[in-house]
Amino acid sequence: MLDEFLPGILALLAFSSGIGPGFTVIFELQSGLIERLRVTPTARLALLAGPILANVVAMFVFDALLIVVGMLFGFQLHLGLLIVAVLAGLLAATVTAFSMGLALRSGGEIQGFAAVVNGINLPVLLLGGVLLPLAIGPLWLRVLGHFDPLYYLVNAARSLAEGHLATTSTWQAFAVLVPLCAITVFWAARTYQKAVA
């Protein structure tokens, strides 16, 4: 049971940990910190990368604690968990960059940002198959799941947690998450550069 449940929770932590930095950016916009960053000689990408990397590291700490607790209840460690860590880091970086870029686009209005985040959050979690695999759902739900990046991480994490390293779900997760992360970070960097210009 833990082999099915715990990998989904690891993926859930990767997704949900990325939303918080957006609220931090809203606070920075309201307090005037973003305007003060305009005079710094630091590269704009570095200003964006700092919170993203800090968030990914924090997610790794929580994931490690969750795995240790899971081991106490019989969860088996496999080499595939290192690949899960890479995939979870990609998703956490993607969601963090998206959250920060969206917060900058909202212009510091927390209501608009919170509405968009809450509107996206529940469908992404339900279509990701975190708590229950989508394979037991109806066909339309399984088709919609393929448009959710969390779905690919959850499937790969479940497969890797069982010790299967080179599976189709793992390659699909990399094929979806790597370009999605690159595109999202690029978009967020452009948004950040415009906001701090």
Side-chain angles (χ1 to χ4, degrees):
M1 185 60 108
L2 274 176
D3 289 342
E4 284 289 318
F5 184 70
L6 190 63
I9 297 302
L10 293 175
L12 174 65
L13 280 174
F15 175 77
S16 59
S17 69
I19 295 172
F23 288 103
T24 304
V25 169
I26 295 281
F27 173 74
E28 290 172 354
L29 282 167
Q30 291 175 347
S31 66
L33 180 64
I34 296 292
E35 278 97 28
R36 283 181 241 142
L37 290 175
R38 290 181 178 161
V39 297
T40 183
T42 307
R44 303 310 184 223
L45 182 59
L47 291 172
L48 178 72
I52 291 174
L53 292 176
N55 195 52
V56 170
V57 169
M59 184 262 318
F60 284 147
V61 170
F62 286 119
D63 280 356
L65 289 173
L66 185 62
I67 289 171
V68 168
V69 171
M71 287 172 54
L72 296 176
F73 290 96
F75 182 71
Q76 300 293 320
L77 283 181
H78 296 286
L79 186 61
L81 286 176
L82 295 175
I83 301 172
V84 172
V86 172
L87 290 169
L90 285 169
L91 183 66
T94 302
V95 175
T96 303
F98 178 75
S99 172
M100 293 176 71
L102 186 64
L104 288 167
R105 289 276 185 166
S106 73
E109 294 182 17
I110 196 161
Q111 292 87 1
F113 175 73
V116 172
V117 167
N118 289 333
I120 292 173
N121 199 11
L122 188 59
V124 167
L125 294 179
L126 291 176
L127 291 174
V130 172
L131 299 177
L132 291 172
L134 284 186
I136 63 174
L139 178 62
W140 65 268
L141 192 64
R142 285 178 281 167
V143 170
L144 281 178
H146 286 85
F147 295 98
D148 183 358
L150 183 61
Y151 168 80
Y152 295 98
L153 175 57
V154 169
N155 284 344
R158 285 189 175 133
S159 176
L160 290 164
E162 293 173 359
H164 310 295
L165 296 180
T167 62
T168 305
S169 60
T170 304
W171 297 117
Q172 286 177 344
F174 276 108
V176 168
L177 291 175
V178 169
L180 183 64
C181 183
I183 291 168
T184 307
V185 169
F186 177 76
W187 170 77
R190 294 287 302 251
T191 304
Y192 202 85
Q193 187 173 15
K194 288 177 184 175
V196 184

